[in-house]
Amino acid sequence: MGDYHFVYKDVEGASTQWDDIQRKLGNLPPKPPAFKPPPFTPAGDESSLPKDKSWIDRKTEDELEDLEDDADLDDDRFLQDYRKKRLAELREAAKVAKFGSIIPISGSDFVREVSQAPSDVWVVVLLYKDGIAECGVLMQCLEELATRYPATKFCKIISTDCIPNYPDRNLPTLLVYNNGAVKANYVGLQRFGRRCTPEGVALVLCQSDPVLNDGQSGSDPSTKAVIDGVRKRFLEKVVTEHEDGDDGSSSD
């Protein structure tokens, strides 16, 4: 028969009298503490939470609608009014189209994505070609603006897919659409200044119309409001870069 060996394993954390003596003499490391499971904490009951502004802020649109017949809120005029205000804010936010990036389109997509866009949506279309450095510069600026103004629709299309035989010397070209019509066009990178920056592009786009929309500007969609916002962000960026430069400089 084979030679079988059995290894007896005691309960984890158990120790013999001999081990205890050896530990006192320093011949063995200290005994590890016994395992203790973390204390059980029952999940909070939603119905036991205090009903205040923060409680309402955590609710979704559907949950806020369900609270319309809540007896507790009927007795609290402030919370009932705040519920209505919060519900209106969520509904208004849901109406705002969210894009947030440059959408690549082809010639067959143009009418649907650009000409037939909703009348309250401004569409900025970049005509470009890969390998042209100026197109890459403007593309980077538009990528930042698309993130900053997610309620404005940004698209890009290879120039000859949009307009057959469109000359490369005119690239990059920006077309601005609203309500199915061309509102502006900008040919070449020089239209955006010697140094093409997102702020410079934003100011050019909003010279005559409030093209850029962040979806959070409230009820004032005017050109002045948009340009004021662009200038404010530009100043904040300059101050931040200046402060970062000061932090990185060494004093003599």
Side-chain angles (χ1 to χ4, degrees):
M1 293 182 65
D3 185 12
Y4 295 96
H5 297 275
F6 295 93
V7 177
Y8 173 75
K9 190 172 182 181
D10 204 344
V11 179
E12 184 178 354
S15 177
T16 65
Q17 187 177 13
W18 173 256
D19 289 340
D20 292 339
I21 294 172
Q22 294 302 311
R23 285 194 175 90
K24 288 182 179 179
L25 295 174
N27 296 329
L28 288 177
K31 181 180 177 181
F35 171 75
K36 287 182 65 177
F40 172 73
T41 304
D45 183 6
E46 177 71 16
S47 61
S48 66
L49 296 176
K51 294 183 178 180
D52 52 17
K53 285 180 62 176
S54 61
W55 177 76
I56 289 180
D57 287 338
R58 291 192 294 268
K59 299 292 184 182
T60 64
E61 182 179 342
D62 291 338
E63 290 172 337
L64 289 175
E65 289 178 347
D66 293 340
L67 289 176
E68 185 173 2
D69 299 324
D70 190 297
D72 293 337
L73 264 64
D74 287 341
D75 297 332
D76 192 323
R77 180 64 181 272
F78 170 78
L79 284 184
Q80 185 63 263
D81 290 344
Y82 188 71
R83 180 195 73 84
K84 293 178 181 178
K85 176 185 175 185
R86 181 67 181 145
L87 185 57
E89 289 174 348
L90 291 177
R91 286 173 175 169
E92 188 64 28
K95 292 180 183 178
V96 178
K98 299 291 184 182
F99 302 105
S101 62
I102 303 179
I103 303 169
I105 61 174
S106 63
S108 59
D109 301 326
F110 195 92
V111 172
R112 182 185 69 252
E113 296 290 345
V114 179
S115 302
Q116 295 179 352
S119 59
D120 60 339
V121 173
W122 286 85
V123 186
V124 178
V125 186
L126 170 65
L127 275 57
Y128 77 104
K129 271 190 179 178
D130 291 329
I132 297 179
E134 291 83 354
C135 292
V137 172
L138 186 54
M139 183 92 69
Q140 287 184 342
C141 294
L142 294 180
E143 285 171 350
E144 183 171 330
L145 293 179
T147 302
R148 193 183 298 168
Y149 300 97
T152 296
K153 188 174 186 178
F154 288 83
C155 301
K156 64 180 181 180
I157 181 172
I158 295 175
S159 56
T160 48
D161 285 354
C162 181
I163 305 173
N165 302 316
Y166 192 72
D168 289 354
R169 66 177 179 274
N170 290 344
L171 299 180
T173 295
L174 277 190
L175 306 176
V176 179
Y177 276 76
N178 180 246
N179 200 19
V182 178
K183 298 297 183 180
N185 64 82
Y186 304 96
V187 178
L189 197 64
Q190 67 276 8
R191 295 294 301 271
F192 305 103
R194 186 180 59 177
R195 244 185 104 229
C196 185
T197 64
E199 292 74 24
V201 175
L203 289 173
V204 171
L205 287 175
C206 296
Q207 279 180 348
S208 57
D209 293 295
V211 176
L212 301 179
N213 185 357
D214 59 8
Q216 301 173 357
S217 299
S219 58
D220 188 0
S222 68
T223 303
K224 182 180 182 303
V226 176
I227 290 180
D228 287 346
V230 172
R231 286 173 175 159
K232 179 182 177 184
R233 289 187 176 91
F234 175 71
L235 291 174
E236 290 172 349
K237 184 174 182 179
V238 170
V239 170
T240 301
E241 291 176 350
H242 179 71
E243 290 176 346
D244 291 344
D246 288 345
D247 292 341
S249 61
S250 58
S251 57
D252 295 333

